[in-house]
Amino acid sequence: MVLFVTAEVVAGSAAWLGRGLSCVCAQRRESDPRPSFDLTPAQEECLQRLQLRIDVAYDSSIPEHREALRALWNAAFPDEELRDLISEQWKEMGWQGKDPSTDFRGGGFISLENLLYLARNFPKSFQDLLRKQEGDRSVWEYPFAVAGVNITFMLIQMLDLEAVKPRTMVGATFLKFLSENESAFDLLYCITFKLMDHQWLAMRASYMDFNTVMKSTRRQLERELLLEDVTRLEDLPSYSLLSR
């Protein structure tokens, strides 16, 4: 299954994930003035470490990457043996073809790490999302795995993580959380995935609505990150959607 989104909502040039699913990010003109926020040395160091993770592309020639991919399969389908890392079986998880590496192009290795973090730390939520076990589902559902890669890419753009320093309050707020919790990006990913699915159900969405759901998810996440009483990611209202 391929999801279609409109090109005008993609930040910068079209950034396609896999074959047809792109990240939904707010478009900005290059001339738009944006403030920047100074970082503490600890925040700068945490940001640089996260940027190093973001820069790592998935590479099937690296044993650790192949092992991580196999670990994802085992977490998803513990009772079903994966015959090969290139296999039609991957479509059961929502990859667009028999080789998941082609879908990692937009999100990099960190998108695989994010999925693994979700599987290991919130296994019930992982399985609920994978198997679409909650709510009245659409006949035309979003593909789990590729949507997960899309969420990674959306968060990188929303938080402006490839910049030297944050240029939005949302990005600056996140870096405060990151300096206090090295796994903040992975945890925010888990929250976002569940929030996206929650929005999907609330909107009674089908695959043609994926673009709209992602925009709604981003807006809600930005609002929650800026709430005054949120001092850690676990305080986000949407954190309560997760279950272990």
Side-chain angles (χ1 to χ4, degrees), residues 27-222:
Q27 190 175 35
R28 300 187 182 97
R29 294 183 179 88
E30 289 300 320
S31 59
D32 285 350
R34 287 187 290 175
S36 62
F37 296 81
D38 291 329
L39 303 177
T40 66
Q43 290 172 338
E44 187 173 348
E45 183 179 346
C46 288
L47 175 58
Q48 289 172 352
R49 284 200 296 268
L50 180 54
Q51 288 172 334
L52 288 175
R53 288 181 63 195
I54 291 170
D55 287 342
V56 176
Y58 179 84
D59 186 345
S60 58
S61 70
I62 299 176
E64 291 81 2
H65 289 199
R66 296 197 303 270
E67 290 167 11
L69 189 57
R70 192 174 293 276
L72 179 65
W73 175 269
N74 292 336
F77 306 108
D79 299 323
E80 182 179 348
E81 183 180 357
L82 179 65
R83 291 186 289 274
D84 192 81
L85 284 180
I86 298 178
S87 169
E88 294 290 336
Q89 291 173 280
W90 285 110
K91 294 180 182 179
E92 298 175 38
M93 196 185 295
W95 299 105
Q96 296 187 90
K98 61 183 181 180
D99 183 3
S101 67
T102 62
D103 289 328
F104 284 126
R105 289 176 301 196
F109 184 60
I110 193 172
S111 59
L112 174 53
E113 292 180 311
N114 288 158
L115 283 166
L116 272 174
Y117 185 92
L118 174 61
R120 290 167 172 167
N121 291 273
F122 301 97
K124 184 179 186 306
S125 288
F126 177 84
Q127 288 293 332
D128 287 346
L129 290 165
L130 169 67
R131 302 177 188 277
K132 307 292 194 297
Q133 291 178 331
E134 294 183 344
D136 184 13
R137 313 302 307 200
S138 168
V139 174
W140 291 73
E141 279 288 322
Y142 64 85
F144 167 78
V146 178
V149 176
N150 198 14
I151 288 169
T152 297
F153 189 80
M154 184 270 281
L155 286 175
I156 292 170
Q157 297 297 304
M158 183 189 84
L159 301 171
D160 206 16
L161 292 177
E162 294 178 303
V164 174
K165 58 178 65 175
R167 293 172 289 186
T168 65
M169 274 300 298
V170 169
T173 299
F174 170 74
L175 287 183
K176 180 174 71 71
F177 298 146
L178 183 65
S179 66
E180 297 165 357
N181 178 3
E182 194 75 18
S183 299
F185 184 78
D186 302 273
L187 178 56
L188 186 60
Y189 170 88
C190 299
I191 296 168
T192 306
F193 210 146
K194 281 295 291 184
L195 174 59
M196 185 278 290
D197 191 69
H198 181 76
Q199 300 275 59
W200 178 273
L201 291 172
M203 297 168 69
R204 297 184 176 274
S206 185
Y207 82 107
M208 288 295 287
D209 303 313
F210 189 81
N211 177 54
T212 303
V213 173
M214 284 294 288
K215 287 194 292 185
S216 175
T217 300
R218 174 172 173 156
R219 287 193 299 267
Q220 178 63 25
L221 196 61
E222 289 174 329

Side-chain angles (χ1 to χ4, degrees), residues 226-243:
L226 296 179
L227 291 173
E228 289 185 4
D229 57 348
V230 171
T231 60
R232 56 181 191 146
L233 290 177
E234 289 86 349
D235 295 332
L236 294 176
S238 292
Y239 177 80
S240 63
L241 297 172
L242 286 168
S243 54

